[in-house]
Amino acid sequence: MKKIIIFLIFLLLIQCKQKQKHGLITVKAMVVSARKEAGKIGTDIMKKGGNAFDAMIATHLALAVAYPFAGNLGGGGFMVYRTKDGKTGSLDFREKAPLKAHRNMYLDSLDNVIPDKSLLGANAVGVPGSVAGLYKVHQKFGTLPFKELIQPAIDLAKKGVVVTKKQAKALNKYRKLFFKANKRKIFLDKEWKEGDTIKYIKLAETLERIRDNGKDEFYKGKTADLLIAYLQNLDGIMTKEDLEKYQAKWRKPIEFTYKNNKIISMSLPSSGGICIAQILKSIEPFHIEQYKHNSVKYVQLLTEAERRAFADRAHYLGDSDFVKVPIDSLISDKYLARRMKSFSFERANTSKEISYGKIAGYESNETTHYSIVDSFGNAVSVTTTLNGAYGSKVFVPELGFFLNNEMDDFSIKPGFPNMFGLVGAEANAVAPEKRMLSSMSPTIVEENGKLKMVLGSPGGSTIITSVTQNILNVLEYKMPMQEAVSKPRFHHQWLPDNIKFEPNFDKSIFPKLEKLGYKIDQSNAPVIGKVDAILVLPNGKLEGGADPRGDDSAVGF
Ligand code: GLY
């Protein structure tokens, strides 16, 4: 009898452990995002009968209030969608360079990079795209009036947002930079602690004007006037003409198959979809499922595919409205098989020996992601950013929001690394009205023609590797969504030639990797990515994967 009881307790413990690996499971609809308040607002919109696109607009605006670290009105982003009837598409609301921008604007007279100019202050700011993006989505897919979608964010801004421990830490960390960028104290510039409430009164007023006057309020109205006056007062080059000319653009997403799955991800000006396609197509011929998850062989194979993809990224990729990018060649099986020919499990390649690949001909840290599925079966995957934490740190007091420092995503000087250590060349040089190359990878996965997964991540260059590893965790290692999101990650990006591992990664494999010639960097990778994802379970229910690395949460019904 005693033995049976022990056995039953043992079974119960195993069940509990397995249960813990799953995230929130709901029947109809879900939002997974960086803040619970935003997820709740998005979910409430779907409860009222709105679709995933309506929920996207409400969630985005709520994040602009509740998560000023990366949620935004003053930034931009990308959306990938799949409608209930399987139609796919994507929207580019990426920032662009002001008309007065030029290729050497971040260099001094000796061609040296001016420290911090592309990162901090008025001239780091790209022309914001978020508001234009939200209106574009509403025009095509919205079912509820825009006024109803923006109101919850206004109410939240007035009521105030409770500061989390992580948020207090971030706000306090950047205080000095807020002062430096604005040349004055901004209202967020004080010592915060967990549990404080911040009311965003000026932001509420801005949102109210947008509610009443529409998109033009941001790009032509009082908001535009205040924004430009503030930037010009800080010697910024952006003008009202820049705002007036801004357009969000529908783009054809990158679509490719990986084994039985179709992957839909963002195309240029984001490198995300192309790089993920290159990495997954490079490893597809290998029997990755036979290698233990996060084992030496697994890390090796992925690292070498990443090394090659990031080398190509640095050379070939830029805004396809400005440069010709050989997308089809770069993701073709033939090209990728040739690229992987020099790979061997016997030793590491080096990034010196792996340059960008030769193409036969030309045919053609801080960000946030949210994933949404509605009860109709529509799926929306959005990654949006100010680039760095609180962007350029420029905060327009009269408007109540931060502006991006997306200009740093250009290659400000060939070979000079940006804030993510990414290097670039001609294809991503600064030019007026050009969009800077991104790594944002909002992604949707189909299996046998049905919606399977919606995912994405912040993290600059590590977005690409985080999204790729989560796809593999689910497709190859059959993990529940929450477990896939929580697993430790690693990252290689060609240059610098080392692998970054998260602190909780199993270190026992490091000596073996080092013996094979891999350099390991544990110094500055506290976390790699912050994936928020939704998995459609075989019974049709939705499982959320909210990344425990942040305050992220899944909300649904
Ligand atoms: N700002 C980060 C990215 O777009 O990749």
Side-chain angles (χ1 to χ4, degrees):
M1 185 63 186
K2 206 173 149 195
K3 272 188 186 157
I4 294 173
I5 291 173
I6 291 172
F7 180 68
L8 285 175
I9 291 173
F10 179 69
L11 270 186
L12 204 71
L13 284 175
I14 290 183
Q15 262 191 343
C16 284
K17 200 159 180 232
Q18 279 173 349
K19 261 197 190 133
Q20 275 169 3
K21 291 181 179 176
H22 286 89
L24 175 75
I25 294 180
T26 67
V27 178
K28 290 189 168 165
M30 188 178 282
V31 179
V32 188
S33 77
R35 286 289 303 223
K36 199 173 198 154
E37 296 89 334
K40 179 156 183 345
I41 283 174
T43 305
D44 285 348
I45 289 294
M46 293 192 282
K47 273 188 188 158
K48 271 172 85 175
N51 64 18
F53 300 95
D54 294 317
M56 175 220 162
I57 295 163
T59 305
H60 193 106
L61 293 164
L63 282 169
V65 177
Y67 194 57
F69 188 76
N72 65 83
L73 295 185
F78 299 100
M79 171 186 76
V80 170
Y81 68 83
R82 182 185 185 278
T83 65
K84 58 182 189 304
D85 359 277
K87 290 199 183 78
T88 56
S90 63
L91 181 69
D92 157 9
F93 52 102
R94 179 71 160 167
E95 301 90 326
K96 63 177 192 171
L99 286 156
K100 285 189 185 153
H102 56 92
R103 61 182 295 129
N104 294 334
M105 65 184 278
Y106 298 109
L107 307 183
D108 65 16
S109 56
L110 299 173
D111 272 359
N112 294 317
V113 170
I114 303 167
D116 282 348
K117 193 174 171 189
S118 64
L119 285 168
L120 190 74
N123 283 317
V125 184
V127 185
S130 283
V131 175
L134 299 182
Y135 273 94
K136 198 110 179 159
V137 171
H138 191 251
Q139 211 176 26
K140 189 167 169 134
F141 294 112
T143 60
L144 297 181
F146 199 93
K147 283 183 196 302
E148 275 183 41
L149 305 176
I150 199 169
Q151 194 57 44
I154 297 170
D155 297 341
L156 181 64
K158 285 184 181 168
K159 182 174 142 231
V161 182
V162 178
V163 176
T164 66
K165 193 172 169 191
K166 288 193 173 91
Q167 204 168 21
K169 202 171 153 201
L171 281 166
N172 296 337
K173 179 174 164 189
Y174 291 104
R175 282 179 68 187
K176 276 196 188 127
L177 291 180
F178 293 157
F179 190 82
K180 204 169 164 190
N182 293 280
K183 301 192 173 122
R184 76 194 71 181
K185 213 166 144 59
I186 60 167
F187 95 99
L188 285 167
D189 177 2
K190 62 177 220 189
E191 194 68 29
W192 295 98
K193 53 183 194 321
E194 184 182 3
D196 286 346
T197 297
I198 308 180
K199 291 187 182 182
Y200 296 92
I201 302 304
K202 286 289 170 191
L203 179 56
E205 285 170 19
T206 303
L207 290 166
E208 278 172 341
R209 285 197 308 277
I210 295 173
R211 175 196 65 196
D212 298 340
N213 305 326
K215 178 189 139 199
D216 280 356
E217 169 60 33
F218 191 90
Y219 292 96
K220 295 181 184 166
K222 181 175 171 189
T223 301
D225 291 339
L226 289 168
L227 196 159
I228 296 301
Y230 191 73
L231 283 181
Q232 290 185 349
N233 199 30
L234 291 170
D235 298 326
I237 58 171
M238 201 184 293
T239 63
K240 268 198 84 177
E241 192 184 354
D242 284 311
L243 290 177
E244 276 164 23
K245 288 185 82 173
Y246 184 86
Q247 296 284 344
K249 294 181 179 184
W250 295 108
R251 305 267 186 197
K252 196 167 159 277
I254 294 287
E255 302 198 346
F256 62 98
T257 54
Y258 176 75
K259 300 188 180 170
N260 286 333
N261 300 88
K262 184 165 131 189
I263 318 267
I264 305 132
S265 192
M266 195 62 218
S267 190
L268 296 169
S270 179
S271 62
I274 296 172
C275 289
I276 291 172
Q278 285 197 304
I279 296 167
L280 287 177
K281 302 289 294 174
S282 296
I283 65 172
E284 195 176 21
F286 295 81
H287 287 285
I288 196 159
E289 74 286 354
Q290 291 174 5
Y291 313 136
K292 201 174 146 259
H293 184 252
N294 281 352
S295 63
V296 172
K297 282 197 161 163
Y298 178 83
V299 171
Q300 266 189 288
L301 182 60
L302 229 62
T303 294
E304 295 301 346
E306 287 165 9
R307 186 197 305 281
R308 287 156 177 80
F310 277 97
D312 281 352
R313 181 194 192 279
H315 182 74
Y316 286 111
L317 305 193
D319 181 351
S320 51
D321 291 346
F322 283 70
V323 289
K324 228 165 173 214
V325 180
I327 301 177
D328 295 349
S329 296
L330 287 171
I331 62 173
S332 77
D333 290 336
K334 210 168 139 200
Y335 170 73
L336 294 167
R338 212 168 67 229
R339 286 287 272 161
M340 286 300 277
K341 260 201 168 142
S342 53
F343 165 69
S344 146
F345 281 116
E346 300 307 313
R347 72 165 185 94
N349 289 120
T350 64
S351 291
K352 241 189 209 151
E353 68 191 275
I354 304 290
S355 180
Y356 54 90
K358 300 279 176 285
I359 295 292
Y362 273 61
E363 321 94 41
S364 97
N365 213 45
E366 307 300 343
T367 295
T368 191
H369 177 84
Y370 52 94
S371 295
I372 305 179
V373 175
D374 67 20
S375 54
F376 311 106
N378 299 302
V380 167
S381 184
V382 180
T383 314
T384 180
T385 190
L386 291 166
N387 194 27
Y390 309 103
S392 61
K393 322 290 186 277
V394 174
F395 179 91
V396 190
E398 285 298 311
L399 301 178
F401 62 83
F402 285 101
L403 289 163
N404 69 82
N405 61 348
E406 222 68 63
M407 292 298 281
D408 189 62
D409 270 347
F410 278 116
S411 172
I412 56 172
K413 181 180 177 175
F416 186 85
N418 73 0
M419 67 174 281
F420 301 107
L422 289 166
V423 291
E426 192 54 38
N428 190 32
V430 185
E433 297 204 86
K434 189 174 175 184
R435 279 148 145 96
M436 52 299 280
L437 187 62
S438 172
S439 297
M440 289 189 272
S441 313
T443 298
I444 293 177
V445 179
E446 274 181 18
E447 192 169 71
N448 301 322
K450 288 200 175 132
L451 178 66
K452 167 98 179 164
M453 190 172 19
V454 186
L455 77 164
S457 175
S461 51
T462 67
I463 293 172
I464 291 166
T465 43
S466 300
V467 171
T468 304
Q469 284 167 53
N470 270 268
I471 292 174
L472 291 171
N473 287 353
V474 172
L475 300 188
E476 296 287 9
Y477 295 97
K478 314 292 176 210
M479 292 180 201
M481 197 70 257
Q482 187 58 53
E483 185 185 355
V485 161
S486 306
K487 279 278 173 203
R489 296 192 270 264
F490 63 97
H491 172 77
H492 191 288
Q493 58 176 46
W494 181 52
L495 292 176
D497 186 357
N498 56 43
I499 315 176
K500 281 182 201 283
F501 289 92
E502 289 192 303
N504 57 345
F505 205 96
D506 171 15
K507 295 178 183 58
S508 69
I509 67 164
F510 294 177
K512 287 183 203 139
L513 285 168
E514 280 169 333
K515 210 164 161 207
L516 289 160
Y518 291 97
K519 291 184 202 97
I520 291 173
D521 173 14
Q522 280 187 86
S523 60
N524 66 17
V527 296
I528 294 178
K530 204 153 67 70
V531 177
D532 282 341
I534 301 173
L535 182 66
V536 182
L537 302 174
N539 62 7
K541 289 185 182 171
L542 307 171
E543 188 208 341
D547 206 314
R549 292 159 181 85
D551 296 323
D552 304 42
S553 75
V555 185
F557 60 95

